[in-house]
Amino acid sequence: MTHPVQTSILNHSRLFANHYYLNLYQAVINTEDGESFDYEIEADSFHDATEKAEEYAFSLGVDITYIEVYHMV
C-alpha cells in the first residue's frame, strides 16, 4: 500500500527588485517498495534539487528506484 507524502523545505530566498523570488523544484522520490514521496525544494539547479532529494531519501532510509524533478513556475 502506498502513502504519498508532500513536504515543503525552503532553505533560503533571494531578494530581487524588492520581491522575493524562490527557485522551486518539485521532486518525486519513487522507492523500490512502490511508495512515492513529493517534496518542494528550493535549489539553484536541477542537479542541486536532485542531490537534496537524494539526501532526504537517505534520511528516510528508503531505497530509491528513480527521482523525478520538475521546475515549478
Side-chain angles (χ1 to χ4, degrees):
M1 187 166 159
T2 63
H3 299 284
V5 176
Q6 183 168 1
T7 305
S8 296
I9 299 173
L10 305 177
N11 294 325
H12 57 82
S13 60
R14 295 176 193 90
L15 182 62
F16 181 74
N18 296 328
H19 298 289
Y20 286 100
Y21 291 96
L22 301 176
N23 202 11
L24 291 177
Y25 294 86
Q26 179 181 6
V28 181
I29 301 170
N30 296 287
T31 69
E32 291 181 358
D33 297 330
E35 295 179 319
S36 65
F37 299 92
D38 296 329
Y39 291 97
E40 292 176 358
I41 299 173
E42 181 183 6
D44 293 326
S45 66
F46 280 96
H47 178 76
D48 291 339
T50 303
E51 283 184 351
K52 290 180 181 182
E54 288 176 347
E55 290 173 9
Y56 300 144
F58 179 74
S59 70
L60 293 172
V62 297
D63 294 322
I64 302 170
T65 301
Y66 61 96
I67 297 175
E68 304 170 63
V69 178
Y70 306 99
H71 189 257
M72 298 177 68
V73 180

